[in-house]
Amino acid sequence: MADFGSNMAALLPEIILVISGLVLLLVGAFAGKKAVPAINLTIVGILLLVAVLVLLRIPDAALSLFDGALRLDALAVFGKFAALLASALGLWLAYGYLKTDKRLTTEFGVLILFAALGMMIMVSATDLLALYVGIEMQSLALYVLAASNRDSLRSSESGLKYFVLGALSSGLLLYGASLIYGFSGSLRFEGIAAAIANDASVGLVVGIVFLLSGLAFKISAAPFHMWTPDVYEGAPTPVTAFFSVAPKIAAVILIARILFDPFLQMLADWQQVVIAISVLSMVVGYLGAIMQRNIKRMMAYSSIANMGYALIAIASGTAGGLSGLLIYMVLYAITTLGIFACILAMRRAEGMVEQMDDLAGLSRSQPALAIGLTILLFSVAGIPPIAGFFGKYFIFLAAMQANLLWLAIFGAVASVIGAFVYIRVVKIIWFDEPPQQDFVPVSRVQAILVASSATLMLPAAIWFLPALYEWSEIVALSLFAGG
Amino acid sequence: MLPIVSITIFLPLVGALAVMTMRKLPRQGVHAIGIGISGLTLIGTIFMWMRGVEASGFSQVEQINWMPSIGAAYRVGVDGISLPLVLLTSLLFFLTFIFSAKVKDRPHAFVVLMLMLETAALGTFTALDAILFYVFFEVSLVSMYFMIAGWGHEDRQRAALMFFIYTLLGSLPLLLAILGLYLGSDPNTFDMRQWIENPPLSGMAAMLALIAMLFTFAVKIPVFPVHTWLPAAHVQAPAAGSVILAGVMLKFGTYGLVRFSLQMTPDAFREAGQIVLAFGVVAALYGAFAALAQKDIKRLIAYTSVNHMGYVVIGVAIAALATDPAIRATALDGSVLQMVSHGLVTGALFFMVGMLQDRTKTRDMEKLGGLLAVTPVLGWSFILAAFASLGLPGLAHFPAEFQIFLATLRVEPWAIIAILGIVITAGLYLLAIGKVFLGETSEKWAQMKDLELREALTLAPLLFLIIAVGVAPFWILDMIHKTTVALQF
């Protein structure tokens, strides 16, 4: 058990975030409009800096902090690094976009910073209360971000919708947590694990189902996905880009930790629930995506389906599943960020392009962007040799190892429907007749993001994938060996 | 030693990247690069041929570790089954580039796609790592999708999407089978040589893996009833696409049938042999009858592919059922030779249909007639290739089909009813020749030009090889036979 001083030292990255967030909020209030871009860029820098700091401070052995409320282990480091990086890139992308639209505010960056802080707590929480605090911290920031375009009716509506449904899901989550506490007598994961080993009562099963329902809402898995398409469509596009990456990583890692750590002994009980949610998400996600003409709504449904695949890995309940899950989430994050960078880059003189059919002619006016987007779309569709294929591959492997052959088959079949959705966009980009107006040239931020994510997906994947695999395996083994 | 196999596989890809960077290059230059690169690739495969294959196992193996902890690596090599297909691939691509030198619409993209497709095809036949095989297998799909969608005929978008989704759905069971084989192997590896030496699965698991693989390859071959993508894709594809699709990509299916199904799950294949054989017989007969009913000459040739590939399936199934090693070798020799012959013959036929369509803008046989009088060279070439396709002795298909039927008679005599297919193809080709080339020449076609030099250069090597394989098949059969007699399962 560490003393207070070393506890605080281990939380240095979080503390830096809190202090710099508060300071920048004050600075923003006094410095006026001119400082807004600088403040946002500073936040990008701070997030990147803290991400590096997190990496530099990998503990030799898992550290239990604050009497078991938080744990700093390989999984937490992985999650924090991924969430911080995704937040930084998301903010950078939004910065490039909002600056041209003159809608950038100090609060925007600070909210993303606080959301990132919430995610850092989420991925390291080993206590039901710490977990709840992390989730709420992140969610409150996200509600405000969804409504951040105050002049838009749709943005306000999406923020409100997200808030009301989010509050409901938090209620479910709290109810589940209180049931678990009631039947196990402990909020700490260790205590819960000990109680389960002693006697796994039905009350705990009910508790975990409620907890899972609340968490499924956060990762927008069906049947708790209703909010996703509306919020994705209504929120400002850079906010959507942020929504679909960083919070998903954090929430998925949180689910993995809670199910694989104290509740692994009850695998048989929660496995069916996770499988049901997973299957439903793939079906709803891809079938829903087929109907969409708006590219943001399509991405919303696509993210629902992608969470279905992530849940396959969780359902396997093995170290291989966890490692596959981490690989999948990283690849998903990179691809999704790249696709959103493309969406943000596609402007015509009269404004943003949001309908799929408007993408026609992209290959003629912006060939480089079209190639990048094509690679990314083939990646989410899971076509080899693009890295996205290997994400699905590791997940199917984990499912088959866990004797979930039929789930792997189901995932494979669903991915064909998914491929149809994405290839249709590719077809529009390359073969449909273009309208009169040309696209406005791409800004630098977007070009860099598209190029780097596409490069990571195709040629660089040869080096990137083995490295990612090694890391994910170390992380997975640390959770399973450490108990 | 120089890694010729890898150089040959990736040379087209390097060429494709080079073309991508040279956006200013004029059309002729782009096509010249395509012809040059594919010519070099052809020379590379001829070097591979000269190095030859060893009696057992794989030769010229090249290997680089990729992810050692999961047993995945870059491994390529050839044996007597894959080398003939590699040679066929590089030859057909080279000729396709010569033929396509006329393409004016987006020549850069066309050449890039064709070169990528060539790398994918060569990689599929030479891969010795299951992941690598799967990757190449799927890349070919993407390139072909763009080929059909970008340069096809009237209804190309629908046909291309159907082709893509159909074959993608078809190939996912293979992925699951690969995962199953991987999990069954000890130590876990994706090395196809290990899987062939010690088939990793047995019993029910092997049967499930076999069913999954059979589904994948049946779609690719294609076997009735999962053949429906083929006529649509062929009719809409540009001539170059049709040649590659029929000449090279259909062989992915039959090659996989031998390499994966037969070699990696031999016991399960033996148990299911009768059913596979029945599918082969039905495909052979169905293909012939369906071809008989076509008015569109491209559709007709597409359906004869179903027929010819049906014979390959019969041959492989017989090889699985045979207990005598000599008969098994005969059946496999016939099957592999049939793949090569089909590539040569159908390649030539699709080229010629492309030439006809360039001149007449139609594929409808009813609208054509008497063309032999105006275009004698094209006409006689077509007649030669058509006779080869119907299995005339002395031409490419005969030695292959002869061996397949010989082995069939010894093992499962009932399956010989598939030979009816030859009678029907004979009838339909004679009818087609009659409609297109004989009879009265209509005014409309009186001014039609015979073959240009470029077209003659495309056809001559194929026609020569059709006769060479037909008259003296030993020069290619020896290589195939060396591997097939040594197969242990």
Side-chain angles (χ1 to χ4, degrees):
Chain A
M1 199 60 55
D3 60 275
F4 184 75
S6 54
N7 276 339
M8 294 308 272
L11 279 188
L12 186 66
E14 282 88 343
I15 294 170
I16 294 178
L17 277 192
V18 174
I19 294 177
S20 52
L22 294 175
V23 169
L24 286 171
L25 206 54
L26 275 180
V27 172
F30 287 103
K33 280 226 176 247
K34 273 189 188 155
V36 168
I39 290 174
N40 275 286
L41 274 187
T42 315
I43 294 176
V44 174
I46 290 172
L47 288 171
L48 287 176
L49 208 70
V50 173
V52 175
L53 190 65
V54 165
L55 263 198
L56 289 178
R57 294 162 57 90
I58 298 180
D60 299 328
L63 274 180
S64 196
L65 307 174
F66 294 105
D67 207 11
L70 298 174
R71 184 182 303 150
L72 190 61
D73 56 3
L75 182 63
V77 169
F78 188 98
K80 284 178 185 180
F81 179 71
L84 285 167
L85 202 61
S87 304
L89 293 177
L91 178 57
W92 191 40
L93 190 60
Y95 163 80
Y97 172 83
L98 292 175
K99 216 177 108 194
T100 15
D101 274 13
K102 302 210 168 48
R103 282 201 274 118
L104 197 65
T105 55
T106 313
E107 291 79 12
F108 192 91
V110 174
L111 281 169
I112 285 192
L113 188 145
F114 281 127
L117 181 62
M119 291 170 211
M120 290 175 77
I121 298 175
M122 282 163 75
V123 295
S124 53
T126 47
D127 174 297
L128 291 175
L129 274 185
L131 176 153
Y132 183 73
V133 169
I135 289 182
E136 281 310 287
M137 176 146 198
Q138 180 224 226
S139 302
L140 281 172
L142 295 187
Y143 302 146
V144 184
L145 281 172
S148 67
N149 186 3
R150 275 175 300 178
D151 303 333
S152 156
L153 195 62
R154 291 229 314 259
S155 173
S156 313
E157 183 199 326
S158 83
L160 192 63
K161 203 176 263 178
Y162 190 25
F163 174 66
V164 172
L165 288 172
L168 181 71
S169 84
S170 294
L172 287 177
L173 202 146
L174 263 188
Y175 187 57
S178 65
L179 275 174
I180 292 170
Y181 174 64
F183 280 90
S184 71
S186 174
L187 285 170
R188 302 271 190 269
F189 285 7
E190 285 166 11
I192 297 171
I196 294 172
N198 214 4
D199 168 39
S201 68
V202 184
L204 281 172
V205 180
V206 178
I208 191 73
V209 170
F210 272 103
L211 198 71
L212 266 179
S213 310
L215 291 172
F217 175 91
K218 302 293 178 197
I219 62 166
S220 68
F224 306 99
H225 65 283
M226 289 10 173
W227 59 277
T228 324
D230 292 341
V231 173
Y232 269 47
E233 191 189 4
T237 312
V239 175
T240 313
F242 176 69
F243 273 14
S244 56
V245 182
K248 297 257 154 83
I249 299 180
V252 162
I253 288 181
L254 186 148
I255 296 179
R257 188 190 284 283
I258 192 164
L259 288 182
F260 286 5
D261 192 359
F263 285 100
L264 193 60
Q265 306 159 67
M266 290 169 67
L267 176 69
D269 293 307
W270 56 257
Q271 193 178 42
Q272 318 151 23
V273 181
V274 174
I275 290 175
I277 298 177
S278 155
V279 167
L280 211 56
S281 299
M282 289 188 276
V283 172
V284 168
Y286 282 144
L287 291 186
I290 290 181
M291 317 287 182
Q292 305 307 320
R293 303 313 301 172
N294 180 302
I295 197 157
K296 277 162 79 180
R297 284 185 88 87
M298 188 205 91
M299 285 306 290
Y301 280 103
S302 150
S303 81
I304 295 172
N306 275 299
M307 289 306 120
Y309 285 95
L311 288 170
I312 294 183
I314 292 180
S316 73
T318 58
L322 182 55
S323 128
L325 174 73
L326 298 178
I327 296 174
Y328 188 81
M329 286 314 291
V330 169
L331 296 175
Y332 163 80
I334 297 172
T335 320
T336 310
L337 259 181
I339 291 179
F340 271 104
C342 286
I343 297 176
L344 287 168
M346 287 172 304
R347 286 160 174 266
R348 293 183 200 279
E350 84 251 33
M352 277 294 296
V353 167
E354 283 197 359
Q355 299 301 313
M356 277 198 232
D357 295 329
D358 293 334
L359 294 179
L362 186 72
S363 61
R364 298 198 184 203
S365 57
Q366 307 256 0
L369 186 64
I371 290 177
L373 185 53
T374 306
I375 289 178
L376 294 171
L377 285 169
F378 275 123
S379 181
V380 269
I383 310 288
I386 304 171
F389 159 73
F390 290 94
K392 288 211 168 74
Y393 156 81
F394 280 113
I395 281 182
F396 294 155
L397 186 68
M400 286 180 71
Q401 261 168 335
N403 282 325
L404 296 172
L405 177 62
W406 69 269
L407 191 58
I409 295 175
F410 192 89
V413 173
S415 76
V416 177
I417 307 175
F420 173 76
V421 172
Y422 305 119
I423 304 309
R424 208 174 44 170
V425 183
V426 171
K427 186 208 107 182
I428 293 173
I429 294 172
W430 289 91
F431 302 117
D432 280 11
E433 278 308 307
Q436 296 302 314
Q437 261 189 327
D438 260 0
F439 286 93
V440 173
V442 189
S443 82
R444 202 176 53 207
V445 177
Q446 289 139 1
I448 293 173
L449 270 180
V450 175
S452 49
S453 60
T455 316
L456 274 179
M457 284 302 119
L458 192 54
I462 297 175
W463 300 280
F464 172 61
L465 270 176
L468 182 60
Y469 175 77
E470 298 290 331
W471 195 16
S472 74
E473 194 161 55
I474 293 169
V475 171
L477 288 177
S478 83
L479 186 68
F480 273 77
Chain B
M1 243 185 4
L2 205 61
I4 290 190
V5 182
S6 304
I7 293 176
T8 311
I9 297 172
F10 290 105
L11 190 63
L13 188 66
V14 173
L17 294 176
V19 173
M20 270 168 116
T21 57
M22 295 184 278
R23 304 195 70 85
K24 296 264 158 59
L25 203 66
R27 181 170 70 89
Q28 289 88 346
V30 173
H31 284 302
I33 291 181
I35 294 170
I37 293 281
S38 61
L40 284 176
T41 311
L42 178 61
I43 293 171
T45 56
I46 289 172
F47 269 120
M48 283 159 67
W49 187 18
M50 278 158 53
R51 281 193 181 174
V53 294
E54 285 151 29
S56 69
F58 291 88
S59 324
Q60 307 179 31
V61 176
E62 289 154 21
Q63 186 164 345
I64 304 170
N65 271 344
W66 185 51
M67 285 168 84
S69 45
I70 64 164
Y74 168 82
R75 305 180 177 97
V76 290
V78 288
D79 69 352
I81 298 171
S82 56
L83 191 51
L85 296 172
V86 168
L87 286 166
L88 173 74
T89 304
S90 62
L91 176 72
L92 280 180
F93 270 96
F94 177 59
L95 298 178
T96 308
F97 273 108
I98 297 182
F99 176 76
S100 308
K102 66 180 169 41
V103 171
K104 293 195 184 75
D105 180 23
R106 287 167 288 165
H108 283 81
F110 183 87
V111 168
V112 167
L113 279 175
M114 282 295 287
L115 287 171
M116 271 169 57
L117 193 54
E118 181 164 14
T119 288
L122 290 171
T124 308
F125 290 131
T126 51
L128 294 182
D129 184 272
I131 292 277
L132 193 65
F133 175 89
Y134 190 76
V135 165
F136 282 128
F137 193 76
E138 294 287 273
V139 170
S140 68
L141 192 64
V142 177
S143 319
M144 189 45 98
Y145 164 76
F146 279 108
M147 182 63 65
I148 299 175
W151 289 266
H153 303 304
E154 318 83 58
D155 193 19
R156 56 178 184 263
Q157 298 299 350
R158 207 185 59 82
L161 197 58
M162 178 173 169
F163 164 77
F164 190 87
I165 296 301
Y166 212 128
T167 40
L168 183 67
L169 182 66
S171 60
L172 280 163
L174 175 64
L175 178 63
L176 297 178
I178 287 176
L179 290 177
L181 288 164
Y182 169 73
L183 292 175
S185 62
D186 185 34
N188 287 0
T189 176
F190 286 104
D191 192 340
M192 284 160 64
R193 289 169 299 174
Q194 304 280 350
W195 293 1
I196 290 169
E197 232 162 78
N198 308 305
L201 297 176
S202 60
M204 193 59 196
M207 188 52 88
L208 281 177
L210 177 73
I211 292 171
M213 292 191 285
L214 285 179
F215 182 74
T216 298
F217 298 132
V219 169
K220 207 80 182 183
I221 291 175
V223 173
F224 178 85
V226 283
H227 66 286
T228 45
W229 62 270
L230 181 84
H234 262 311
V235 169
Q236 299 303 329
S242 289
V243 170
I244 298 304
L245 193 55
V248 178
M249 287 178 70
L250 298 192
K251 274 78 194 175
F252 292 175
T254 45
Y255 171 76
L257 197 64
V258 178
R259 181 68 80 223
F260 277 79
S261 313
L262 186 60
Q263 290 194 278
M264 293 172 192
T265 54
D267 296 327
F269 203 133
R270 198 163 299 131
E271 272 175 56
Q274 295 285 356
I275 298 165
V276 180
L277 183 61
F279 270 105
V281 171
V282 171
L285 291 175
Y286 173 86
F289 277 111
L292 192 58
Q294 302 307 319
K295 288 199 178 67
D296 184 321
I297 189 159
K298 232 174 161 181
R299 268 186 113 83
L300 178 143
I301 299 171
Y303 274 111
T304 62
S305 290
V306 178
N307 163 265
H308 285 130
M309 292 285 106
Y311 295 141
V312 180
V313 177
I314 293 174
V316 178
I318 291 294
L321 288 167
T323 42
D324 180 357
I327 297 178
R328 180 189 299 155
T330 309
L332 274 182
D333 286 349
S335 301
V336 179
L337 188 61
Q338 173 83 344
M339 295 184 214
V340 178
S341 307
H342 178 260
L344 297 172
V345 174
T346 311
L349 285 170
F350 273 123
F351 274 132
M352 285 187 271
V353 171
M355 295 169 192
L356 270 179
Q357 195 176 1
D358 286 345
R359 288 168 169 73
T360 61
K361 309 290 173 223
T362 179
R363 299 182 303 263
D364 190 344
M365 291 193 287
E366 308 291 338
K367 292 185 185 152
L368 302 168
L371 296 185
L372 194 59
V374 275
T375 58
V377 182
L378 177 61
W380 285 111
S381 304
F382 189 89
I383 291 169
L384 177 73
F387 279 172
S389 182
L390 62 82
L392 199 73
L395 296 173
H397 271 303
F398 179 73
E401 285 167 9
F402 181 77
Q403 294 189 75
I404 293 174
F405 287 129
L406 191 69
T408 307
L409 268 180
R410 300 279 296 278
V411 180
E412 289 294 335
W414 68 267
I416 205 67
I417 50 165
I419 213 163
L420 272 175
I422 293 196
V423 183
I424 302 159
T425 29
L428 71 93
Y429 270 119
L430 292 176
L431 277 175
I433 292 170
K435 277 182 200 160
V436 177
F437 290 102
L438 306 178
E440 274 188 41
T441 316
S442 110
E443 292 272 316
K444 226 161 61 177
W445 314 124
Q447 299 304 317
M448 210 160 105
K449 289 202 176 64
D450 209 343
L451 295 188
E452 296 167 21
L453 180 64
R454 172 178 59 80
E455 294 170 329
L457 279 178
T458 314
L459 284 181
L462 288 177
L463 298 178
F464 170 75
L465 283 173
I466 288 172
I467 298 171
V469 173
V471 176
F474 56 81
W475 59 271
I476 192 154
L477 260 181
D478 283 352
M479 175 168 55
I480 301 170
H481 194 67
K482 213 167 166 182
T483 295
T484 53
V485 285
L487 288 188
Q488 304 283 339
F489 47 82

